[in-house]
Amino acid sequence: MGCNSRLDTIQAAILRVKLKKIGEWNHERRKNAAFYNSNILNNIIEKPKDNIESKHVYHMYVVKSDYRDKLSYYLKEKGIATGVYYPIPLHLQKVYVDLGYKEGDLPNAEYVSKRTLAIPIYPELSLEEKQYIVDTINNFEV
């Protein structure tokens, strides 16, 4: 189910350098998310909601749509990478079969697993790339 993974010294050295930029990268992701939040206007796409009691780092920007698979294919055809991170909810994965869950036991997780899609949010996105992503999403129709 899990693992105990340790970094070797080379990975640790690289991460030590990269950690100095984590604040800057998180700031850029938040700016990218704010751009998406303001400019994605397609009403069949649900954007993530900010919680005023916390500060999201937007490691991923996950949208929700009843047309997730069509949207994913459409974006791929337009050269925009997407990711579906949990197409099978955790309670239905083989590794957890011993827990005894069956389809229908956790309907919210099952519902979301069929509708969520991550779009690019990395800190180095240019304004032109973000605008292209937004325009492409806004032009998506079913």
Side-chain angles (χ1 to χ4, degrees), residues 30 33 37 47-58:
R30 282 188 204 99
N37 290 341
K47 300 172 281 190
K49 309 233 182 332
D50 278 328
N51 181 340
I52 60 170
E53 297 174 8
S54 62
K55 197 172 184 182
H56 203 308
V57 296
Y58 288 101

Side-chain angles (χ1 to χ4, degrees), residues 28-48:
E28 290 301 317
R29 282 190 181 93
R30 282 188 204 99
K31 282 175 41 181
N32 292 345
F35 183 86
Y36 286 158
N37 290 341
S38 296
N39 294 288
I40 293 175
L41 304 173
N42 191 323
N43 63 3
I44 58 177
I45 309 296
E46 184 179 335
K47 300 172 281 190

Side-chain angles (χ1 to χ4, degrees), residues 103-122:
E103 194 166 339
D105 284 348
L106 298 173
N108 289 339
E110 294 166 29
Y111 177 86
V112 171
S113 73
K114 294 179 175 101
R115 289 166 177 79
T116 55
L117 178 73
I119 62 172
I121 190 74
Y122 56 92

Side-chain angles (χ1 to χ4, degrees), residues 28-108:
E28 290 301 317
R29 282 190 181 93
R30 282 188 204 99
K31 282 175 41 181
N32 292 345
F35 183 86
Y36 286 158
N37 290 341
S38 296
N39 294 288
I40 293 175
L41 304 173
N42 191 323
N43 63 3
I44 58 177
I45 309 296
E46 184 179 335
K47 300 172 281 190
K49 309 233 182 332
D50 278 328
N51 181 340
I52 60 170
E53 297 174 8
S54 62
K55 197 172 184 182
H56 203 308
V57 296
Y58 288 101
H59 172 68
M60 291 183 281
Y61 188 91
V62 179
V63 297
K64 190 171 15 171
S65 175
D66 289 338
Y67 309 98
R68 189 260 320 266
D69 294 338
K70 289 181 182 178
L71 175 61
S72 177
Y73 179 79
Y74 168 77
L75 293 174
K76 182 180 179 182
E77 289 291 305
K78 302 291 185 180
I80 299 169
T82 62
V84 175
Y85 289 92
Y86 294 99
I88 301 170
L90 294 177
H91 69 286
L92 297 178
Q93 292 185 14
K94 289 179 185 178
V95 70
Y96 295 112
V97 72
D98 292 344
L99 297 177
Y101 289 106
K102 62 185 179 316
E103 194 166 339
D105 284 348
L106 298 173
N108 289 339

